[in-house]
Amino acid sequence: MKKSVVLYGDLLERLSPPGLEKLVQANRYEVRFTGGEANVGVSCVNYGMDAYVVGRVPKHEIGQACINYLRQYGLDTTYVARGGERLAILYTETGHSQRPSKVIYDRNHTSFSGIVPGMLDWDEILEGKDWLHFTGTAPAMGEGPREELLRGLKIAKRMGISVSVDYNYRRKLWDRESARKTMETLMEYVDVGIGNEEDCEAVFGIKAEGTDFEKGNVDEKSYSIVAGKMIEKYGLKMQAITLRESISASRNGWSAILHDGRKCYTSRNYLVDLVDRIGGGDSFAGGLIYGLCSGMEKQSALDFAVAASCIKQTIPGDFNLASKEDVLALVNGDASGRVQR
């Protein structure tokens, strides 16, 4: 039976200058639609799952354009509510070499931030589903989205649905104290935590000793300890942490760990020549959700997720458009990049 995942979160219009242009020199933009949770859903669809986006967009042409865009990649938009005045905007600038990528948010007074408790029928949304995923950007958007998420989490727990969260701390959306206070109220409903090398410290105050994520210095053993502390403190079934070694804006080392409270699994480390790193963490989450839902052993699920996110970072845009076969080829050792004929 096909597995299904529900994805609650904000939806955005992404505007990017072509190529490697800076925002200040752009006189035209490439337009895409995105959202951390929707990005995860596209990955899951590519691997054979059903994915249901839950959010809110305005009832006008821009909102409809977003719906149309998501549908063409196989996402089910049945549970996207309509209303409010505007869709959030994400401006992105792709870095290169020593020049970092940049993101500017325009997310105030959006349709999603206008969600109020009781707006969504969670019993209907979650009926018959297998998994619920959200990221830290969803509760960062205000009290209404936060309280509605909590309603959904409680119903998911009652239905026995697995829940994952990618902490996705964004300092441009809220400060660490606010993030910690909010996220700690949600963690009792979470089964699988996902974060990058910064998140556990920024949101929960659990630091990896002897590491410096800003300089790209990461140590698997230190993060294994962090993952174990997260499991112990919040009662998680698993904690995954992606590890990015920042060599430059164009080249990163990429790997991850997965801890289940008894054993810590470690992935291969990939050296990635970046095309677009935005959405890399989301593609990891999508790969991990698929791996766990499809019955893979934990090491195999981790390896699949890391390979999937490695490939995604070579694809423009937020969505991972790699197939399951593409990912498995990399998992099984084909990293040559040779033309497939």
Side-chain angles (χ1 to χ4, degrees), residues 283-294:
S283 60
F284 173 85
L288 186 64
I289 290 169
Y290 166 74
L292 296 175
C293 278
S294 63

Side-chain angles (χ1 to χ4, degrees), residues 6 79 120-129 148 151-152 154-156 158-159 161:
V6 172
Y79 304 116
L120 302 173
D121 187 345
W122 282 106
D123 286 289
E124 178 184 344
I125 292 169
L126 294 173
E127 181 65 33
K129 310 304 191 302
E148 186 68 327
R151 287 184 63 245
K154 290 178 178 179
I155 293 172
R158 187 189 75 208
M159 292 182 170
I161 294 170

